[in-house]
Amino acid sequence: MLIAGDTVARGADGRVMPGVFNADPAGAAASFRRLAELDTEVACFGHGEPLASGAGARLRAVAGRLR
């Protein structure tokens, strides 16, 4: 289980995204990528509903699109 805090968020539409409130966008993206490398089944976020299964795959898919 990953407790991502504000590093990762989940929108009302269910999409997973980097947290939007940060002072260092490049650092936030790097942190997101590091979390995506973990073998995680369940993820909880500071904002949005948790992912109850397949969280690692969802995070990796998003991380692959980050700049």
Side-chain angles (χ1 to χ4, degrees):
M1 175 182 281
L2 171 68
I3 299 176
D6 288 336
T7 304
V8 183
R10 190 165 183 209
D13 60 359
R15 71 187 168 103
V16 175
M17 66 191 112
V20 296
F21 300 109
N22 60 70
D24 179 5
S31 293
F32 187 104
R33 284 189 204 94
R34 281 194 298 273
L35 292 178
E37 292 174 2
L38 300 174
D39 184 22
T40 304
E41 183 64 20
V42 176
C44 299
F45 314 110
H47 302 277
E49 294 295 316
L51 284 171
S53 65
R58 292 274 301 271
L59 292 173
R60 284 187 289 281
V62 173
R65 295 190 302 265
L66 295 179
R67 293 184 209 129

